[in-house]
Amino acid sequence: MDFFRGLYIIPWSKNYISISLDVLIVAFLIYKTYTTLRRTRGIQLLLGVGIIWISGSLAEYLGFELLEWILTNIRPALVFAIIVLLQPELRRLTGDLARIRLLRLFFLKPTFDLDPIVEAVRIMSQEKTGSIIVLVKDISLKDISENAVPMDAQVTSEILQTIFFKNSPLHDGAVIIEQNRIVCAASYLPMSSSVEIATLGARHRSALGLSEETDAIIIVTSEETGDITICFEGEMLHPVKPLELKALVSGLMSGTRRSKDDSLRKPKEKDTGVSI
């Protein structure tokens, strides 16, 4: 409130540029926070915090001393509660900020040979082999790959099919590919907390969860139907035909085509295959 009161005494002729930038930056941060949390349980937590904060102000105004004392002592703990309970959402928010085009100039441009990946996905789709293949772009997945099985192998269709073979010890998890190398296998991805996809299976929820927090492109094949799904920037493209897979991934990788510009549909089947 002090900021808005101060607007009346600030000489706008000298500070209108800085004030305008200040308001625009704050508005942008509020907008990004809202768009990140609106489809998660985090928005409910923030509403609860807001109600407690407003109740404290009303209690002070109405002279409810006991209620005011309780809420006044609770308020400092709310900041720590938000940080602890909204960790997935905060990671997603920082990931969204890292996707700003201007910041991408400071990242190493990813390179991929998509032919062996597309070939492996096509065959696994035909054979109804469940799989998750993660293509890393600008945001590093080192924290996830460190807890997986390290590989550092060349990307070939045969290796990918072998990893996701039903009896393979590495099939229970995702493969992470970075700079045209298989970094690791059997990696466990963060589940999406979106309330709109609660009926989906573990494989699709994991793929969507990672796409919400990073700029990675995740390719999923269903163990039940063999359908191909692509998750990118919190959106799910399904089903994807094998013939259009390479062109679609290339467009997403280069930034010339965005998943939310396409026809997006959530998978109807429940992928009850391998849990991730």
Side-chain angles (χ1 to χ4, degrees):
M1 293 299 294
D2 293 336
F3 171 80
F4 293 102
R5 293 193 190 102
L7 294 180
Y8 292 103
I9 60 175
I10 290 177
W12 280 80
S13 59
K14 298 181 179 180
N15 299 279
Y16 70 94
I17 295 180
S18 61
I19 293 175
S20 300
L21 289 176
D22 189 13
V23 173
L24 288 175
I25 292 173
V26 172
F28 173 76
L29 292 176
I30 293 175
Y31 169 76
K32 292 299 293 184
T33 302
Y34 171 73
T35 55
T36 301
L37 299 180
R38 63 180 176 178
R39 288 183 290 182
T40 68
R41 296 180 179 89
I43 193 66
Q44 300 174 0
L45 176 61
L46 289 182
L47 288 175
V49 171
I51 292 174
I52 293 175
W53 207 274
I54 294 173
S55 298
S57 300
L58 289 176
E60 181 181 0
Y61 177 76
L62 297 174
F64 298 160
E65 295 183 2
L66 180 58
L67 181 59
E68 178 189 353
W69 178 83
I70 294 174
L71 296 178
T72 300
N73 286 275
I74 290 177
R75 281 178 176 179
L78 294 179
V79 178
F80 298 98
I82 291 175
I83 295 175
V84 173
L85 298 177
L86 293 184
Q87 284 188 5
E89 286 78 10
L90 291 175
R91 289 198 303 267
R92 189 180 309 161
L93 178 61
T94 55
D96 289 342
L97 294 177
R99 293 172 188 163
I100 299 175
R101 285 187 181 275
L102 182 62
L103 297 180
R104 293 182 180 181
L105 299 175
F106 299 96
F107 294 104
L108 182 65
K109 186 177 180 180
T111 57
F112 291 95
D113 181 8
L114 295 178
D115 289 333
I117 299 174
V118 171
E119 178 65 14
V121 171
R122 182 186 65 80
I123 295 175
M124 290 188 292
S125 175
Q126 291 178 349
E127 298 177 352
K128 295 185 178 180
T129 300
S131 67
I132 296 185
I133 300 176
V134 179
L135 305 181
V136 180
K137 291 187 66 180
D138 298 329
I139 300 177
S140 174
L141 301 182
K142 187 176 181 180
D143 57 331
I144 296 178
S145 60
E146 285 179 344
N147 297 318
V149 179
M151 292 192 65
D152 190 24
Q154 180 181 357
V155 180
T156 65
S157 174
E158 293 76 15
I159 290 180
L160 291 175
Q161 293 178 63
T162 301
I163 291 174
F164 290 111
F165 183 69
K166 188 173 183 180
N167 296 323
S168 168
L170 300 179
H171 80 288
D172 188 9
V175 163
I176 296 180
I177 301 177
E178 184 173 5
Q179 294 298 327
N180 212 34
R181 301 285 294 180
I182 299 178
V183 178
C184 63
S187 58
Y188 291 83
L189 310 181
M191 290 279 189
S192 174
S193 59
S194 176
V195 295
E196 297 181 2
I197 51 93
T199 58
L200 295 182
R203 184 172 287 112
H204 289 93
R205 281 185 286 141
S206 297
L208 188 61
L210 183 64
S211 71
E212 290 172 344
E213 298 184 11
T214 70
D215 62 348
I217 300 172
I218 304 96
I219 306 172
V220 183
T221 57
S222 172
E223 190 174 22
E224 289 189 350
T225 65
D227 287 345
I228 302 171
T229 301
I230 293 180
C231 294
F232 181 65
E233 291 192 352
E235 302 288 350
M236 186 175 286
L237 179 59
H238 172 91
V240 177
K241 297 179 181 179
L243 294 177
E244 65 181 6
L245 178 61
K246 182 177 180 180
L248 180 57
V249 174
S250 298
L252 295 175
M253 192 66 63
S254 62
T256 58
R257 184 177 184 183
R258 300 173 66 86
S259 62
K260 61 184 179 182
D261 294 332
D262 299 296
S263 177
L264 296 173
R265 297 184 301 275
K266 294 184 178 66
K268 295 181 180 179
E269 82 278 8
K270 183 173 182 180
D271 189 2
T272 56
V274 180
S275 297
I276 293 182

